[in-house]
């Protein structure tokens, strides 16, 4: 089997097919077949291809009646024998290294799709580039994405590069029975790629502009298609409707904006050619489009221009030329439509698996439900300092300060003794933080005073132990939204936690004062509801930790499985504080099952039982460990939570002072027998996962309803 099948649909391309084939035959990758699908050409293009086939056996010309480019590409897919297919248009060209480098990345990264940037060039410029020494461009960089991140590439980040099929290397198995829609006159390649990426595949972006898109008069441009009455927006409508049905309103809105622009452009072309019949038909379509739920989400200027285009075209022709920039600027400045409306204040800056994963779960849930939310980069020293090489953790009282000084020295010694692992852990933590939670370009705020100038209208404080004064060194105003800001309209606490059922008496007064700033109150532990009700005298709701908002498949998309976790079966032990009973139980279980034990400590001390210890894992690696584990033994709330999500056999040991939250989550799911207070339970006992899934679903519906209703 050939490694790559190059598919080139051709129709009346005699001027350019020669150069196109030459650029393919000059590829450094030799293990390929070149399929030229002639779609009923009436010029000399087929003869040029036959001549190339006589000189190089890799070239194969196949003919069909004129049925369109989609039919020709489908013919190519059916005829292809390669493990990968590479699409190229007959009037374009490619760099000599392109296919080889794409194939290398596909094999190394186990990717199903590899793509690059493209350059729009005239014929002479393409000839000049192809004549240059290719070795000076030999070095290259790439990026990888999978699942939801790959979808974000398609809908936003690399939308232009992924709008056409030219220059895409795709694994045949990823295509399967999928074919180009032959009923669509335009945009069929965008729709094809959409369905490919929707499969949750791994994608690689080769950061080189090695696909040369030729600009010439004979090319099938958008304008020519529109003059003929073809509707370029139909594929965009399909993608928008599918994303709307999926509940991905953020993606659907982007396609709705594109639909509006494409319809306006179509109408302009029909007006310029005097096609009144086409204009009337398009106006009827525009009237239906006006009723779509996503249309109301457009900016005021976008809706105004759309309405003018189809109701008063002469005014539109004038306004569309001079006014859009001013309208967009006014909305951006006065109506604040260009940025997120919701700010999340949580523990994203803590190098803690649970803190970072709950932040990701909450942010992702809001975006999936059409809410533009960002995590506020509130990173005070009392939270970040504990993760420095010389750890700084302010503790209340004289004894606390003395203990803090000792802890700084002890922490430094520990970090120096394990400096390589500590350095790798910081790298893994920052990888997750800046890839999934916040943008490095966001302004970092080290004090509550910096929150006064933020742009958000609504704030969600939580989840995690944001109301635990032992963690935040006293109750902090920021985690109650208790700061002055002229734009702030509402503050909602979501799954805020004390780590227990309430606070000590010395904190009651401060808590009562700060809780007044929260407009809608929810906590993570049911046992904390009576305490909060007594203090604030208002309705208080118990909700799920936001990690439960996402299903196992969503978490698998961001996990990274450590190499040794792939190779062996093991028991996972995750330590949040030393617990001899738990460690001895894990050792006993290992002896019973013959499985090895991997212990993840994450900067926390443990009890040396001869286990393999990983101190360098980040949140993605933690998920990978949970995924591949045979059994999970831990005293961590989030280890128990993800054991439920991943449906693992597990036991949860009680934390010395944070046991309420573990008890609560197990009670919610009917898994009280998984809690070990004194002696260990039976980790082998069967779990009715269907019942657990149903309880999760019911609680997620109620918890999500609370959050969305109050937003």
């Amino acid at each position: 089997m050939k490694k790559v099948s190059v598919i080139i649909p051709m129709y009346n391309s005699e001027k350019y097919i020669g150069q196109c084939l030459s650029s393919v035959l000059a590829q450094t990758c030799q293990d390929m077949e070149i399929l030229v699908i002639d779609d009923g050409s009436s010029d000399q293009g087929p003869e040029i291809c036959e001549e190339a086939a006589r000189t190089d056996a890799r070239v194969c010309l196949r003919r069909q009646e004129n049925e369109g480019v989609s039919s020709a590409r489908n013919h190519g897919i059916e005829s292809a024998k390669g493990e990968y297919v590479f699409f190229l248009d007959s009037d374009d060209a490619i760099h000599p290294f392109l296919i080889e480098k794409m194939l290398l990345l596909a094999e190394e990264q186990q990717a199903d799709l590899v793509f690059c940037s493209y350059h729009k060039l005239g014929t002479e410029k393409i000839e000049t580039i192809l004549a240059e020494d290719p070795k000076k461009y030999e070095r290259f960089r790439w990026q990888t994405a999978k699942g939801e991140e790959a979808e974000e590439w398609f809908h936003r980040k690399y939308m232009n590069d992924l709008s056409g099929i030219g220059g895409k290397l795709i694994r045949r198995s990823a295509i399967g029975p999928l074919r180009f829609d032959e009923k669509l006159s335009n945009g069929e390649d965008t729709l094809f790629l959409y369905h490919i990426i929707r499969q949750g595949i791994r994608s690689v972006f080769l950061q080189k502009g090695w696909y040369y898109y030729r600009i010439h008069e004979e090319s099938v441009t958008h304008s020519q298609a529109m003059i003929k009455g073809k509707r370029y927006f139909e594929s965009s409508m399909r993608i928008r409707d599918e994303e709307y049905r999926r509940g991905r309103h953020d993606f659907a809105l982007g396609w709705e904006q594109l639909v509006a622009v494409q319809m306006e452009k179509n109408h302009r072309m029909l007006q310029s050619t005097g096609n009144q019949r086409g204009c009337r038909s398009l106006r009827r379509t525009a009237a239906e489009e006006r009723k779509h739920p996503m249309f109301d989400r457009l900016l005021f200027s976008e809706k105004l221009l759309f309405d003018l285009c189809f109701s008063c075209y002469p005014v539109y022709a004038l306004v569309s030329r001079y006014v859009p920039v001013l309208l967009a600027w006014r909305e951006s400045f006065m109506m604040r439509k260009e940025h997120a409306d919701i700010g999340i204040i949580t523990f994203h800056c803590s190098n803690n698996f649970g803190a970072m994963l709950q932040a990701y779960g909450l942010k992702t849930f809001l975006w999936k439900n059409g809410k533009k939310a960002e995590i506020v980069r509130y990173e005070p020293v009392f939270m970040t300092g504990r993760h420095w090489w010389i750890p700084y953790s302010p503790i209340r009282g004289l004894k606390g300060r003395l203990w803090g000084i000792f802890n700084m020295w002890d922490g430094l010694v520990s970090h120096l003794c394990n400096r390589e692992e500590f350095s790798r852990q910081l790298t893994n933590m920052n990888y997750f933080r800046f890839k999934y939670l916040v943008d490095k370009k966001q302004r970092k705020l080290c004090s509550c005073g910096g929150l006064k100038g933020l742009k958000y209208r609504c704030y969600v404080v939580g989840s995690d132990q944001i109301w635990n004064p032992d963690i935040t060194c006293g109750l902090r105003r920021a985690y109650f939204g208790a700061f002055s800001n002229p734009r702030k309209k509402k503050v909602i606490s979501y799954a805020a936690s004390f780590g227990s059922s309430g606070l000590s008496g010395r904190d009651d007064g401060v808590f009562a004062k700060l809780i007044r700033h929260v407009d809608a109150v929810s906590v993570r532990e049911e046992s904390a509801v009576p305490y909060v009700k007594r203090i604030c005298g208002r309705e208080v709701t118990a909700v799920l930790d936001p990690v439960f908002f996402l299903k196992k498949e969503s978490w698998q998309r961001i996990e990274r499985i450590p190499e040794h976790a792939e190779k062996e079966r093991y028991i996972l032990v995750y330590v949040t504080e030393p617990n001899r009973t738990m460690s001895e139980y894990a050792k006993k279980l290992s002896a019973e099952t013959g499985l090895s034990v991997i212990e993840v400590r994450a900067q926390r001390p443990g009890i040396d039982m001869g286990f393999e210890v990983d101190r360098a894992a980040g949140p993605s690696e933690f998920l990978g460990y949970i995924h591949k584990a045979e059994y999970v033994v831990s005293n961590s709330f989030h280890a128990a939570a993800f054991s439920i999500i991943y449906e693992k056999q597990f036991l949860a040991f009680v934390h010395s002072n944070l046991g309420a939250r573990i008890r609560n989550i197990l009670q919610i799911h009917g898994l009280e027998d998984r809690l070990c207070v004194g002696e260990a339970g039976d980790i082998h006992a069967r779990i009715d996962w269907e019942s657990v899934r149903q309880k999760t679903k019911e609680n997620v519906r109620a918890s999500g309803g609370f959050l969305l209703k109050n937003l």
Side-chain angles (χ1 to χ4, degrees), residues 242-262:
E242 183 62 28
E243 290 302 297
Y244 181 74
R245 281 192 292 270
R246 291 177 68 202
R248 300 302 301 265
H249 294 177
D250 51 331
F251 291 160
L253 179 59
W255 290 97
E256 176 64 23
Q257 291 169 326
L258 185 60
V259 167
V261 170
Q262 289 174 333

Side-chain angles (χ1 to χ4, degrees), residues 94-203:
I94 53 177
H95 186 277
F97 288 162
L98 181 59
I99 294 180
E100 180 190 5
K101 299 305 182 186
M102 282 188 163
L103 186 60
L104 176 67
L105 288 173
E107 297 282 289
E108 285 184 351
Q109 303 298 321
Q110 291 298 296
D112 296 302
L113 167 66
V114 186
F115 66 101
C116 67
S117 296
Y118 62 89
H119 282 157
K120 288 186 176 182
L121 304 168
T123 299
E124 293 182 2
K125 186 63 176 177
I126 291 177
E127 291 174 352
T128 302
I129 288 179
L130 293 177
E132 292 178 351
D133 180 8
K135 290 185 178 180
K136 70 177 185 177
Y137 301 110
E138 193 168 3
R139 297 182 64 184
F140 62 94
R141 294 182 295 171
W142 69 91
Q143 294 176 279
T144 63
K146 185 180 179 182
E148 291 184 359
E149 186 182 5
E151 290 188 47
E152 197 273 339
W153 278 12
F154 176 81
H155 294 289
R156 288 202 189 100
K157 191 173 183 179
Y158 297 123
M159 188 177 186
N160 288 336
D161 294 315
L162 287 168
S163 62
I165 197 65
K168 309 300 184 293
L169 182 78
I170 306 175
R171 195 184 297 269
R172 275 284 301 279
S173 59
I175 296 175
L178 180 66
R179 296 294 182 266
F180 292 87
D181 190 335
E182 297 180 17
K183 295 179 182 179
L184 282 177
S185 56
N186 291 285
E188 72 293 328
D189 47 355
T190 306
L191 190 62
F192 180 84
L193 284 169
Y194 169 70
H195 288 301
I196 290 283
I197 292 171
R198 271 284 308 276
Q199 300 174 34
I201 63 169
R202 182 179 293 277
S203 301

Side-chain angles (χ1 to χ4, degrees), residues 25 46 60 258 397 455 556 646:
L25 293 171
C60 176
L258 185 60
K455 58 199 175 186
Q556 286 177 331
Y646 277 82

